[in-house]
Amino acid sequence: MARINENYLKLKAGYLFPEISRRVAKFAAENPQASIIRLGIGDVTEPLIPAVVEAFHKSVDEMARRDTFKGYGPEQGYDFLRNAIAQNDYQARGADVSADEIFVSDGSKCDTGNILDIFGDDNIIAVTDPVYPVYVDTNVMAGHTGAADESGRYGGLVYIPMNAANNFTPSLPDRKVDLIYLCFPNNPTGTVISKEALTRWVEYAKANDATILYDAAYEAYITDPTVPHSIYEIPGAKEVAIEFRSFSKTAGFTGTRCAFTVVPKALKGKTASGESIDIQPLWNRRHCTKFNGVSYPVQQAAAAIYSPAGKEQIREMISFYLTNAKLIREGLQKVGIEVHGGVNAPYVWLKTPNNLSSWDFFDKLLSKAHLVGTPGSGFGAAGEGYFRLSAFNSRAKVQEAVERFTKVLE
Ligand SMILES: *Cc1c(COP(=O)(O)O)cnc(C)c1O
C-alpha cells in the first residue's frame, strides 16, 4: 500500500455544511409542511447577465467553426481578458498593475490553496478568526500546522481575532509572521477594512518581510467610496501582496468558473540562505506546469463584464443583492438584534440574541422560523455566538425571512 499524506488526518471532518444539511433534512422530514428558507450557503442565485450570455454564445459558435476554433490558449489567460482586468480593475483605480502580473484561473478557491506551492514549509502563518476555512485547511494539508484543539484551532497557526470589540478590524500580530491571509470585504462577517487599517498591514508586512495574501472576492459589493477595492490602492503594496479576485460573486460565475490572481513583479521572497528571489516567475512556472488555462468561451464571457452594457448590468445585479442585505440588516436591527456587515458585502453577521451559542441559535431559527443560516462557530472559535445570513436569494424569500425573524425573539 502507498503511504498517504497523514496531514489530511488532522483535518476536522468537513463539519459545517454537512451538519447543517443533516439538521435541515431531519427537520424537513419531521415537518413536511414547513416551507424552509435558506440563507445559509454563499452561492449566488441570479442568472448570468445578458452581456455575458451573448459573449458566451458567440464564442461557443467560434469554437464550432474550423477557421475560428481554438485549442489550448495561453496558460496565464488570453490578452483580451488580462488587459481588460488590468485597465478596469486596477489602472482605473490608480493601482499600477500590468497585464503580465495577472494570472487567469478557474477559481479563487483553488488559487488561494495552490499559492502555497511556491512558499516554503517553515513560514509562520497568520489567519483571522473567524476565517474562510480554505486558508486554514490548505495549510493543514501542506503540513504547516500541528493538530487541532477542541475549539478547532490548529497548533502553529497565528489566529487574529475579528470581533465587535475591535470593530472587525484585525489588529497587527504581536510577533513576526511571514504569510498573512486577509479577506475584505470579509466572508463571513461582511465587514470591510479602511484604507488606514490596510495601510498599517502593508507597513507591517514591509517592516517584517512578510507577504499578504489578499482575497478580494467581494470587492464588487463595496459601496462606501472610502473603502479600498484592491490592496494595490495602498502605496507600496506591490512589494508585499498577492491579490485574489473572482468572477464568482462579482458576476454570478460560481457555476461558470473564472477568477484571477495578481502576482506583482516587485514582490520578492527569500531562500534559506537569505538570497532574494522574484515571486512572479515562480507563480508563472507553477501555473504553466500544473494548469492549462480557462476555456476560451468562459474568458470571453468574463471579459464581457467590462463592456459598457456589462458594467451596467453587473451594477444592477450587485445592487439587487445589496438591497437584500439592507432589508435583512435593517429588519433585524428593528427587532433589536445586533448586526454587522451587509453594507459593502452580501453577508450579515449577527450577534445571537440572549447569548445563545451559534448552534443553539441555528436550531431555534430552524424550528421556530423555518430559516436556515450558518453558525458563526463554523468559521472559527471567535465566531462562537455569531451567525451568518446571506443576501443571495429572491426578494420575496428575503422579505418573508425578515418577517419570520421576529418569531425567534418571542
Ligand atoms: C466565494 C469565495 C471565493 C471565490 O471562490 P471561487 O473558487 O472563485 O468560486 C473566494 N474567496 C472567498 C472568501 C469566497 O467566499
Side-chain angles (χ1 to χ4, degrees):
M1 283 189 288
R3 280 279 300 276
I4 58 147
N5 176 351
E6 291 183 34
N7 295 312
Y8 279 67
L9 306 180
K10 291 182 207 158
L11 291 165
K12 303 254 291 171
Y15 174 71
L16 180 62
F17 290 104
E19 179 62 17
I20 291 172
S21 305
R22 193 188 68 74
R23 292 191 193 202
V24 174
K26 180 167 180 284
F27 178 81
E30 289 164 4
N31 301 273
Q33 79 297 343
S35 94
I36 295 170
I37 299 180
R38 289 176 170 78
L39 296 173
I41 308 239
D43 195 359
V44 296
T45 49
E46 291 296 291
L48 297 175
I49 58 168
V52 162
V53 174
E54 193 187 319
F56 216 169
H57 278 153
K58 186 162 159 277
S59 48
V60 170
D61 287 341
E62 285 179 53
M63 297 297 272
R65 286 196 308 271
R66 185 171 303 277
D67 59 328
T68 49
F69 169 79
K70 291 193 162 44
Y72 290 126
E75 290 93 340
Q76 301 89 341
Y78 283 101
D79 282 344
F80 66 78
L81 181 56
R82 297 173 93 194
N83 287 330
I85 292 167
Q87 282 160 21
N88 291 281
D89 284 325
Y90 295 103
Q91 291 155 14
R93 291 194 182 281
D96 166 34
V97 168
S98 60
D100 57 354
E101 296 173 309
I102 292 163
F103 295 85
V104 176
S105 79
D106 61 357
S108 277
K109 190 194 222 183
C110 347
D111 287 348
T112 53
N114 291 334
I115 200 73
L116 292 175
D117 271 13
I118 61 165
F119 290 102
D121 289 328
D122 46 8
N123 290 308
I124 310 266
I125 291 156
V127 294
T128 62
D129 183 6
V131 67
Y132 180 54
V134 175
Y135 316 148
V136 171
D137 289 357
T138 52
N139 275 290
V140 175
M141 291 170 176
H144 297 166
T145 73
D149 67 16
E150 65 278 13
S151 74
R153 287 195 167 110
Y154 287 93
L157 291 184
V158 174
Y159 288 91
I160 303 173
M162 277 175 55
N163 49 39
N166 58 19
N167 201 21
F168 297 90
T169 299
S171 41
L172 300 176
D174 50 11
R175 65 185 112 164
K176 180 183 159 24
V177 302
D178 303 302
L179 273 181
I180 302 147
Y181 290 85
L182 294 178
C183 173
F184 288 104
N186 187 257
N187 179 9
T189 65
T191 57
V192 290
I193 193 162
S194 69
K195 216 162 227 172
E196 296 67 35
L198 192 54
T199 301
R200 287 196 293 275
W201 276 97
V202 168
E203 283 166 1
Y204 170 91
K206 279 197 165 167
N208 290 277
D209 280 336
T211 299
I212 298 173
L213 303 173
Y214 195 73
D215 184 344
Y218 296 94
E219 139 315 300
Y221 292 80
I222 293 171
T223 51
D224 178 342
T226 68
V227 169
H229 287 244
S230 164
I231 194 167
Y232 305 120
E233 291 174 44
I234 309 298
K238 284 184 77 180
E239 288 146 50
V240 296
I242 289 173
E243 181 165 288
F244 303 96
R245 290 265 189 115
S246 174
F247 294 89
S248 283
K249 317 304 172 10
T250 301
F253 270 48
T254 52
T256 304
R257 311 304 305 143
C258 197
F260 59 92
T261 292
V262 181
V263 185
K265 284 176 279 188
L267 181 65
K268 308 238 185 240
K270 65 173 196 292
T271 64
S273 60
E275 189 193 348
S276 168
I277 303 284
D278 286 341
I279 297 268
Q280 193 262 8
L282 299 185
W283 182 248
N284 187 50
R285 185 59 202 261
R286 189 263 164 222
H287 197 73
C288 294
T289 299
K290 294 198 184 182
F291 186 65
N292 241 342
V294 173
S295 88
Y296 171 72
V298 166
Q299 292 192 58
Q300 284 288 10
I305 77 161
Y306 301 108
S307 68
K311 282 181 184 169
E312 184 49 39
Q313 292 160 12
I314 289 289
R315 248 196 304 275
E316 273 172 38
M317 185 167 71
I318 301 275
S319 125
F320 169 78
Y321 290 132
L322 283 173
T323 302
N324 282 351
K326 183 179 153 89
L327 289 171
I328 297 172
R329 191 185 148 85
E330 291 178 355
L332 268 51
Q333 267 172 336
K334 211 190 268 171
V335 295
I337 295 175
E338 178 187 323
V339 294
H340 306 275
V343 176
N344 297 288
Y347 299 119
V348 172
W349 187 245
L350 65 96
K351 179 84 199 73
T352 61
N354 307 318
N355 288 320
L356 285 180
S357 78
S358 297
W359 276 111
D360 285 348
F361 185 70
F362 175 93
D363 289 334
K364 190 168 181 189
L365 198 59
L366 179 59
S367 63
K368 294 215 165 172
H370 309 166
L371 295 177
V372 181
T374 313
S377 54
F379 298 100
E384 180 57 273
Y386 288 96
F387 200 79
R388 190 189 78 174
L389 294 175
S390 140
F392 296 130
N393 216 318
S394 69
R395 181 61 44 79
K397 289 222 168 128
V398 164
Q399 282 166 332
E400 166 83 28
V402 170
E403 275 167 32
R404 287 192 202 167
F405 231 91
T406 51
K407 296 193 182 146
V408 287
L409 302 170
E410 286 156 10

